[in-house]
């Protein structure tokens, strides 16, 4: 099995007052040629946003931008006309396409903890699109939840040959991983899992290319990126 363990402490770290952000891959002012993404997966930012702060209106184009809210509520507004609140347990996918401007603001009195994930699309200059779903893996433990993918069986459609699956695995339970595509990348949000004898903790990620099994050493939440390129 060809594998790579990406430890949490090897992530970039940016703190600018209201934002505490850890970057799995090179982002903004943090650059490390060793961490430039995995296939079409380009960004995993682990963001904590202080109360009454956030990202003001800014542009994106030709990027699939997935937001996973873990704690609190983030308020979204964009030039497609969407004004939404994304609560903990909900996911948002914004396909920027030809271009869109948006803001993500924490209007609450407590911090928001969320992941922002960018995937490079396989089609350029498509019409921008917005999708949002509620799918909290803690409400359906010990099973894979297909959050986004290129086909109709996914809750949200992503413009890439990629599937993004989430799970909450209770201590002592296991889940199989069928490695049907080129890159399989598991990012741990909380807890500790074991893959082929490798201990993977919160903030860590593991890249592999063969079928395997994920075992939970403690209650754990994680995301599996199943990428063809």
């Amino acid at each position: 099995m060809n594998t790579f363990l990406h430890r949490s402490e090897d992530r970039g770290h940016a703190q600018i007052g209201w934002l505490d952000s850890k970057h799995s891959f090179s982002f903004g002012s943090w650059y490390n040629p060793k961490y430039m993404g995995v296939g079409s997966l380009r960004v995993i930012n682990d963001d904590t946003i202080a109360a009454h702060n956030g990202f003001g209106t800014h542009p994106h184009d030709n990027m699939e931008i997935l937001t996973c809210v873990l704690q609190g509520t983030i308020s979204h507004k964009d030039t497609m006309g969407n004004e939404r609140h994304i609560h903990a347990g909900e996911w948002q996918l914004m396909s920027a396409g030809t271009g869109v401007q948006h803001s993500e603001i924490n209007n609450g009195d407590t911090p928001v903890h969320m992941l922002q994930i960018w995937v490079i699309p396989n089609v350029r200059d498509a019409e921008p699109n917005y999708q949002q779903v509620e799918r909290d893996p803690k409400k359906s433990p010990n099973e894979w939840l297909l959050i986004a993918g290129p086909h109709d069986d996914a809750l949200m459609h992503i413009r890439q040959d990629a599937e993004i699956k989430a799970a909450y695995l209770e201590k002592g339970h296991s889940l199989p991983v069928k490695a049907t595509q080129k890159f399989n990348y598991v990012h741990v949000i909380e807890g500790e899992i074991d893959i082929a004898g490798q201990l993977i903790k919160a903030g860590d990620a593991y890249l592999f290319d063969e079928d395997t099994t994920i075992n939970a050493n403690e209650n754990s939440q994680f995301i599996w990126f199943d990428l063809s390129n």
Side-chain angles (χ1 to χ4, degrees), residues 125-229:
D125 297 328
E127 182 179 356
N129 187 41
Y130 182 96
Q131 302 166 79
Q132 184 176 333
V133 298
E134 190 281 325
R135 203 71 164 109
D136 186 349
K138 292 184 177 180
K139 296 180 179 179
S140 302
N142 307 317
E143 64 176 293
W144 288 115
L145 304 179
L146 177 55
I147 303 300
H151 306 301
D152 292 340
D153 58 340
L155 292 172
M156 298 188 291
H157 180 267
I158 192 168
R159 292 166 176 162
Q160 182 53 265
D161 187 10
E163 291 187 339
I164 299 170
K165 303 171 187 177
Y168 182 78
L169 195 57
E170 295 172 324
K171 181 179 180 179
H173 288 255
S174 61
L175 276 174
V177 177
K178 190 73 173 176
T180 59
Q181 302 205 84
K182 185 176 180 181
F183 300 108
N184 295 271
Y185 190 78
V186 171
H187 176 89
V188 178
I189 296 169
E190 64 174 285
E192 180 186 274
I193 61 174
D194 179 298
I195 301 179
Q198 193 73 253
L199 296 182
I200 306 154
K201 301 179 181 181
D204 294 348
Y206 193 59
L207 177 68
F208 54 96
D209 61 0
E210 293 181 6
D211 295 355
T212 190
T213 300
I214 297 176
N215 302 291
N217 295 335
E218 53 190 70
N219 293 345
S220 302
Q221 185 174 352
F222 44 89
I223 303 176
W224 170 23
F225 299 92
D226 190 6
L227 310 161
S228 68
N229 59 69

Side-chain angles (χ1 to χ4, degrees), residues 73-88:
T73 299
I74 199 79
S75 297
H76 169 96
K77 185 176 182 180
D78 64 45
T79 50
M80 292 181 280
N82 297 295
E83 291 190 44
R84 304 284 187 91
H85 301 297
I86 311 161
H87 307 285

